[in-house]
Amino acid sequence: MIPGAFAYHRPTSIKDAVGLLAQFGDDGRALAGGHSLIPMMKLRLATPANLVDLAGIAELKGVRADGDEMVIGAMTTQHDLIASDLLGEKIPILRETSELIADPQVRYLGTLGGNVANGDPGNDMPAVMVCLNATYQVTGKSGERRIPARQFYHGAYFTALEPGDVLTAVRMPVPAAGHGYAYEKLKRKVGDYATAAAAVVLTLSGGKVANCSIGLTNVGETPLWAQEAATILLGSTLDAATVKRAVAAAEAITAPASDARGPAEYRTKMAGVMLTRALARAKSRARG
Ligand SMILES: Cc1cc2nc3c(=O)[nH]c(=O)nc-3n(C[C@H](O)[C@H](O)[C@H](O)COP(=O)(O)OP(=O)(O)OC[C@H]3O[C@@H](n4cnc5c(N)ncnc54)[C@H](O)[C@@H]3O)c2cc1C
């Protein structure tokens, strides 16, 4: 349970962090809250020779509005997301999801950037980012680029990040006022990763679904965007028959592992149950 030896670096600018990570290549890793990376290092599943701590870079922290988008610095902690009144008003699913991650001790240090950059299918925020159609702002050797969350995840722990890249911020469009939302997560005990979870954001017009987006957590190698399921719901009142068809479409794209959280068939069914609950709760919260 003791990590291998590593050198510790604490840059104070994004430019210096990128320079260090580019210099170290595969021998370097960014360190954010450390609540995924350090456990991996203790288990020797990660053995970076150099840790580049992002905690000293002030510009990576904070929440701000930019036109009709919200921009959240990568080093903003899960606790900060819960505490932000701006986010609570504009994108409340972020608070709801953060409150279901681990425990307060983890949330005081764990960051949004670390949660989405990690590439662990068990992390909760990636499916929410896929649901919200977020974009990741990344700075690397050749400058800045933006990667849609829906294109970022290529496999378990395999993302669009290249060695030397720093994820600097997450941008997301603010959902329409009066939207409904819910993040439903089944876990074995408080603080556990999801057996299955579902994120829903929708708007109603005249009691019918005008827009809908759905993300699923930990029922595949990557977060899943359940596009067909959401399309089935458009124009419906979220009646039981239509919800059942949408849930079947969502279950069909899952491919969970059989593990300590249950056999694959069970986890697929639980994704369906979480989605059914999330749709009902989102509907009850939506105006229009
Ligand atoms: C007991 C426990 C329970 C937990 N339960 C949950 C849970 O239920 N749901 C959940 O989602 N998470 C859970 N976590 C994980 C927690 O949310 C982590 O904090 C999070 O996954 C990673 O964020 P971090 O800031 O700690 O990143 P770190 O651990 O520091 O980094 C994680 C990975 O991302 C990379 N990285 C980090 N930041 C950047 C960046 N800005 N640019 C490029 N690469 C970067 C690192 O190099 C590393 O590979 C749990 C953790 C613990 C210890």
Side-chain angles (χ1 to χ4, degrees):
M1 295 302 278
I2 298 172
F6 58 87
Y8 176 81
H9 308 266
R10 195 176 165 100
T12 52
S13 71
I14 294 171
K15 186 166 170 273
D16 288 350
V18 169
L20 286 165
L21 286 165
Q23 177 193 329
F24 298 138
D26 287 339
D27 287 334
R29 286 285 276 274
L31 174 69
H35 273 58
S36 288
L37 183 54
I38 301 293
M40 299 267 279
M41 289 171 64
K42 286 181 169 180
L43 293 167
R44 305 287 172 118
L45 294 172
T47 51
N50 295 277
L51 283 187
V52 178
D53 191 349
L54 305 178
I57 307 176
E59 60 195 304
L60 290 178
K61 289 176 195 150
V63 177
R64 68 183 170 87
D66 182 12
D68 50 13
E69 283 193 327
M70 204 59 76
V71 185
I72 305 176
M75 289 298 286
T76 305
T77 65
Q78 293 149 9
H79 170 77
D80 295 336
L81 298 181
I82 293 169
S84 165
D85 290 336
L86 182 62
L87 287 181
E89 183 199 332
K90 300 286 187 190
I91 318 186
I93 195 171
L94 296 178
R95 178 177 285 171
E96 179 156 293
T97 306
S98 300
E99 285 174 339
L100 291 170
I101 292 177
D103 49 55
Q105 202 176 348
V106 171
R107 298 196 294 255
Y108 277 125
L109 281 171
T111 65
L112 178 62
N115 199 286
V116 301
N118 195 27
D120 181 343
N123 281 137
D124 289 292
M125 282 297 176
V128 176
M129 295 306 138
V130 163
C131 176
L132 288 167
N133 199 15
T135 301
Y136 300 156
Q137 209 167 294
V138 173
T139 303
K141 286 174 278 189
S142 6
E144 190 188 298
R145 64 194 197 280
R146 293 184 181 184
I147 309 168
R150 291 174 184 170
Q151 293 166 22
F152 185 78
Y153 299 97
H154 299 170
Y157 297 101
F158 182 42
T159 70
L161 288 181
E162 307 275 355
D165 281 346
V166 173
L167 192 153
T168 56
V170 179
R171 312 179 70 94
M172 59 203 81
V174 175
H179 71 277
Y181 67 92
Y183 189 68
E184 284 283 348
K185 174 175 175 179
L186 177 67
K187 46 190 176 174
R188 295 169 301 177
K189 60 179 175 59
V190 171
D192 193 17
Y193 288 87
T195 300
V200 169
V201 171
L202 56 78
T203 57
L204 297 181
S205 175
K208 296 189 172 165
V209 178
N211 287 289
C212 181
S213 186
I214 298 167
L216 302 174
T217 297
N218 219 10
V219 282
E221 291 230 321
T222 63
L224 300 176
W225 182 39
Q227 194 178 8
E228 193 190 330
T231 304
I232 289 171
L233 295 164
L234 293 180
S236 80
T237 57
L238 289 163
D239 57 281
T242 311
V243 167
K244 197 171 169 190
R245 275 199 300 129
V247 165
E251 288 179 2
I253 63 165
T254 66
S258 292
D259 62 15
R261 291 185 176 79
E265 296 79 2
Y266 166 74
R267 296 181 63 188
T268 289
K269 279 295 158 205
M270 289 307 102
V273 173
M274 292 305 108
L275 177 55
T276 307
R277 289 182 188 171
L279 287 168
R281 214 144 54 81
K283 180 182 176 182
S284 74
R285 284 167 161 167
R287 296 196 310 270

